[in-house]
Structures are given as C-alpha cells and as structure tokens.
Amino acid sequence: MAKKRKVANPLALAVMSYLRQQPMHPYELGRTLIENGDARSIKYNHGSLYAVVRQLTSAGFIVEKETSREGQRPERTVYALTDAGQQELDAWLRKLVEEPEHEYPAFGTALSLIGALPPDQAVALLRSRMEHLAHSQAETRELIEQSLARGVAGLFLVEEEYRLAQSEMESSFVDDLIKRITDPATEWVRSWADFHARDAVSSS
Amino acid sequence: MAKKRKVANPLALAVMSYLRQQPMHPYELGRTLIENGDARSIKYNHGSLYAVVRQLTSAGFIVEKETSREGQRPERTVYALTDAGQQELDAWLRKLVEEPEHEYPAFGTALSLIGALPPDQAVALLRSRMEHLAHSQAETRELIEQSLARGVAGLFLVEEEYRLAQSEMESSFVDDLIKRITDPATEWVRSWADFHARDAVSSS
DNA sequence: TCTATCATGTAACCAGTTACATGATTTT
DNA sequence: AAAATCATGTAACTGGTTACATGATAGA
C-alpha cells in the first residue's frame, strides 16, 4: 500500500517549486502561477492556494519567513521552503515523471457509458466533438507559435506540446470510432441499436 | 458561466445509468460497477457511493423505492431513477461525449515542472517511464483480447482501446522528448543544464 | 469453533471550493 | 467622486474519503 503524500494537491508541488527559487507570499505565488502559464496544467483556485499553504506549513515543508505590512494593506506573510520541503519536492516530482498514474479522464467515462445513447445519436455527438477538438488544437498551436516568437524557451512549451499531442490522438481515435460505428460490417453495432430500438418504441 | 451540475461526481452518472436499467440498492450498484469493469474509468469508492446516492436523492434524480430487510442484515434501500434523473443522465452524458473538457493529467503537471530537475536526471526518469508504459500497455492489450475471447461485445471495450491509444501516444511523445533533450542541437537544453550547474556546485 | 470475508451501512473528519471582507489603486 | 478592479486574506460550507460497526456466511 503506497505511502500517501502528506499533502497531495498538485498545487502544492507548484508552490514548493516556486519557493525553491525564492521566498514569496501566497498572493504572489498565485500571480506567478498564472503569468507563468502553469495554471494550464495545474488547477488553480485562489481559495485552494491558501488551504494548500496551510497544509504545507503544518507538514513542515514550508515556513513563515517574515510578516510585513505596508500601509493599511492586509499583512503579507512570506514563506520559504524548508529542507524537508526540498526533499519532498524532489521526490514527488521524480515520481510524477517516472511513474504513470491510473487516471480518469472525462472522455473515458463518456466512452464507458456511451452505450446508454442510441448509436446514431452517439455518432452525431462524436462528430460535433471532432470540431471542438479541431478548434482547441488550432488555439494550442497558435499559443505555441506565439510563445516561441516571443522567445520563450522550448522547455516551457513541452507541456503544451503534450496537450496538443493528446488532443490529436483523441481526434484520430474518435474519427476511427465513428467509422467503426457507421460501418455496417461492425457486428456489435447491431445489438447496440436493437437494445435502443425497444426504448424508442416503448417511449412513443 | 456554465451552469454547474447539481451533482458533479462521475460516479453519479454511472449510478443513474445503472438505475435506468433497473432499481437497485447502493451496495449492488457498487458491485455492478466493479464486475462490469466500469470502475476502471470511473473512480469508485465505497464511501463516496453512499454520499453520491444521498446527493442524487436530495437533487430529486433518484428516489427511495422500497426498503426491505432480510433476516438481521442491515436494511437494503432500493432506489429508482426519476424522470428528472432520466433527463439529467441524458443531458450529462451527451455533454460529456460532445464537449472536450480542460483537464489536468498528472504527466502534464510533471512536464510543466520538469525544469526543476537537471536534464540528465529527467532523461533517466523518462526512460524508466517508458518501461512502465510498455508494461501497462501489454496488460491492457491482454485485457482486451481476453475479453473478446470471452465474448464481450466490442462496444464495452472502446474505453479500454482509448486508454491504450492514450498510453501509446504518450510513449511516442516521451520517446521523442528524450531524443530532443539528448540531441546536442537542441539549444534550450544548454540553458536548462546551466541553470542546474549552479545548484550542483553550491550544494557540494 | 475461530477466523476471514462478504454484505451493508453510518459517522467523523479533512481537503478544497465558494463566498465574503476590506483597503488601495485605477478608470470613467 | 463613483465605480471598477487589484491586492490580500479569512470563514463557512460541502463533497468525498477514511474509518468504524455489525450480522451472515464460508473456510480452516
């Protein structure tokens, strides 16, 4: 039974990673995350950030370094990474890079229950999905090009390239799936359609 | 701002989908989910199931149909899908099939922070990942074949095929990434390495 | 018969989200 | 000078997970 991380939210990983460069206060962490574009791969939520910072603190991975107040603004508490934090960051990141995790993408869920829709409807929806995918791919490609043009190093685009590759593979998968469903030679479509034929009759 | 679903947990979708076939009690829903293999695409947790059932009930998507007690076993409460539930199920499933969602796969997170590791370590870990991927692909392929051999209809394997396709694309992406990192012609690797060279010296 | 596993559910706890608060700065 | 937005944080709520409880059945 794999030891659970004391703090499991990916936001915490980003927080530790930023704090390794330099101590910061939470709000600044959030801004960095956004500006940096990391919020595209790590779900960011203002409220969660403070929660995560609290958790990291009580786990001993970060410490309050100083508390300063400017004028009448709320206090800004600056945090720094501890030694334990360093180690946790390193171990966690390595694990993430090395070991694939079992995940639950929404489209997987959709596919596992798609039988609940009649095949012709499923096909129509899948076609529509293809268009959505094409749009978002175009956007991602543009984002990558613009970034390169602005001189962003390739290292920071790998993650977008990954997103793009995923999306492209999904497109071809869906394309193929549509073909299979609409191909009269695919035996299982028959029973699928029959199953729904009953419904259609009884609900009319 | 997209209307939020009253009940958002994917488990709820599976529950409604099963209840459309026939009324059941929660424990049976759980068993079905496992036997059926749907737990591979929908995260299942015994406790969450009861939570979700409660939520669906108070949202009016399912109702308590009867409560029976056999011997001294705990009561079994049987639930049935309501009309509102039917509609919610249909709308939700369609949306899931039609609209790609922005997601946060763990490897995306890893890639967005991989710069925090020195490039040679990154490469070593990525190589190791390739092996893990190969193993899990072999398992999935086997699962698919065995299922086909047992006469499972192709419709119920689409989701595993999707998982496999994803994993395969990840393999080729990682393979390519390793090549780029180790290719001396890739300019950005230089600055990446330099960045870590400082660390290595200062921590010695 | 003792122990494990199945069958079924409840309750306490915790992580994460939504909503609120409030001074400072910029825009209209 | 009113309105909007930024900067910074806290607090209440809720969804989901872990842990507990308990009778029934099956293996050792």
Side-chain angles (χ1 to χ4, degrees):
Chain A
M1 50 213 83
K3 311 286 179 198
K4 279 281 179 242
R5 306 223 97 87
K6 298 220 65 179
V7 184
N9 189 330
L11 239 194
L13 192 66
V15 165
M16 290 192 287
S17 157
Y18 289 156
L19 290 186
R20 195 170 60 154
Q21 310 302 311
Q22 59 196 281
M24 288 190 237
H25 56 96
Y27 192 89
E28 196 179 354
L29 285 163
R31 215 187 337 155
T32 309
L33 207 90
I34 297 286
E35 278 167 10
N36 206 325
D38 283 350
R40 282 182 65 81
S41 2
I42 296 172
K43 186 156 57 169
Y44 171 60
N45 172 312
H46 180 59
S48 311
L49 178 59
Y50 288 85
V52 158
V53 165
R54 212 179 312 125
Q55 292 160 207
L56 284 172
T57 304
S58 70
F61 295 148
I62 66 179
V63 278
E64 204 164 313
K65 203 196 162 197
E66 54 182 286
T67 296
S68 74
R69 170 188 297 262
E70 270 179 41
Q72 208 38 26
R73 293 211 210 105
E75 280 198 4
R76 296 173 316 160
T77 307
V78 176
Y79 292 86
L81 194 63
T82 65
D83 263 24
Q86 277 273 0
Q87 284 172 33
E88 174 68 2
L89 165 59
D90 195 58
W92 190 356
L93 186 49
R94 292 172 147 281
K95 177 154 190 194
L96 225 48
V97 173
E98 184 171 25
E99 290 174 26
E101 276 177 42
H102 187 100
E103 295 184 278
Y104 302 88
F107 190 50
T109 303
L111 289 178
S112 76
L113 297 176
I114 201 172
L117 298 171
D120 54 333
Q121 285 184 33
V123 167
L125 294 167
L126 288 171
R127 290 218 167 92
S128 173
R129 186 182 190 89
M130 292 288 282
E131 290 174 26
H132 288 280
L133 288 171
H135 285 148
S136 88
Q137 283 161 25
E139 275 175 22
T140 304
R141 282 198 205 92
E142 183 140 345
L143 173 65
I144 291 177
E145 276 175 38
Q146 307 249 304
S147 301
L148 282 175
R150 283 204 339 274
V152 173
L155 174 58
F156 303 110
L157 296 173
V158 172
E159 160 246 332
E160 288 298 331
E161 291 169 358
Y162 176 63
R163 187 179 295 288
L164 182 57
Q166 275 204 126
S167 179
E168 284 170 347
M169 102 76 192
E170 189 180 307
S171 284
S172 51
F173 184 86
V174 171
D175 188 52
D176 178 64
L177 180 56
I178 292 174
K179 289 197 185 105
R180 284 196 282 162
I181 300 179
T182 52
D183 181 348
T186 311
E187 354 71 28
W188 48 266
V189 172
R190 158 67 48 154
S191 39
W192 179 11
D194 285 355
F195 177 77
H196 283 277
R198 282 210 318 260
D199 271 26
V201 171
S202 73
S203 76
S204 70
Chain B
M1 49 213 82
K3 310 286 177 197
K4 281 281 178 242
R5 307 222 97 86
K6 298 219 68 177
V7 184
N9 190 329
L11 238 193
L13 192 65
V15 165
M16 291 192 286
S17 158
Y18 289 156
L19 290 185
R20 196 170 61 154
Q21 310 302 310
Q22 61 196 281
M24 290 189 235
H25 56 96
Y27 193 88
E28 198 180 352
L29 285 163
R31 217 186 336 155
T32 310
L33 207 89
I34 297 286
E35 278 168 11
N36 204 325
D38 282 350
R40 281 181 64 81
S41 3
I42 296 171
K43 187 158 53 170
Y44 170 61
N45 171 311
H46 180 60
S48 311
L49 178 59
Y50 287 86
V52 158
V53 164
R54 212 180 312 123
Q55 292 159 207
L56 284 171
T57 304
S58 68
F61 295 148
I62 65 178
V63 278
E64 205 164 310
K65 200 195 165 198
E66 55 183 286
T67 296
S68 74
R69 169 189 299 261
E70 270 178 43
Q72 208 36 28
R73 293 211 210 106
E75 280 200 4
R76 295 174 316 158
T77 307
V78 176
Y79 292 86
L81 194 63
T82 65
D83 263 23
Q86 277 272 359
Q87 285 172 35
E88 174 68 3
L89 165 58
D90 195 57
W92 190 357
L93 186 48
R94 294 171 145 281
K95 178 154 190 191
L96 225 48
V97 174
E98 185 171 23
E99 290 175 26
E101 276 177 42
H102 186 99
E103 296 185 278
Y104 302 87
F107 190 50
T109 303
L111 289 178
S112 75
L113 298 176
I114 200 173
L117 298 171
D120 54 332
Q121 285 185 34
V123 168
L125 294 167
L126 289 170
R127 291 218 166 90
S128 172
R129 185 182 190 90
M130 292 289 283
E131 289 175 25
H132 288 279
L133 288 171
H135 285 150
S136 91
Q137 284 161 25
E139 274 176 23
T140 304
R141 282 198 204 92
E142 183 138 346
L143 174 64
I144 292 177
E145 276 175 37
Q146 308 249 304
S147 302
L148 282 174
R150 284 204 338 274
V152 173
L155 173 58
F156 303 109
L157 295 173
V158 172
E159 161 247 331
E160 288 297 333
E161 291 168 359
Y162 175 63
R163 188 180 293 287
L164 182 56
Q166 276 203 127
S167 180
E168 284 170 348
M169 101 77 194
E170 189 180 307
S171 284
S172 51
F173 183 86
V174 172
D175 188 52
D176 178 63
L177 180 57
I178 291 174
K179 287 195 187 109
R180 285 196 281 161
I181 300 179
T182 53
D183 181 347
T186 311
E187 356 69 30
W188 47 266
V189 173
R190 158 68 47 152
S191 37
W192 179 10
D194 285 354
F195 178 76
H196 284 277
R198 281 212 318 261
D199 272 27
V201 171
S202 74
S203 76
S204 69

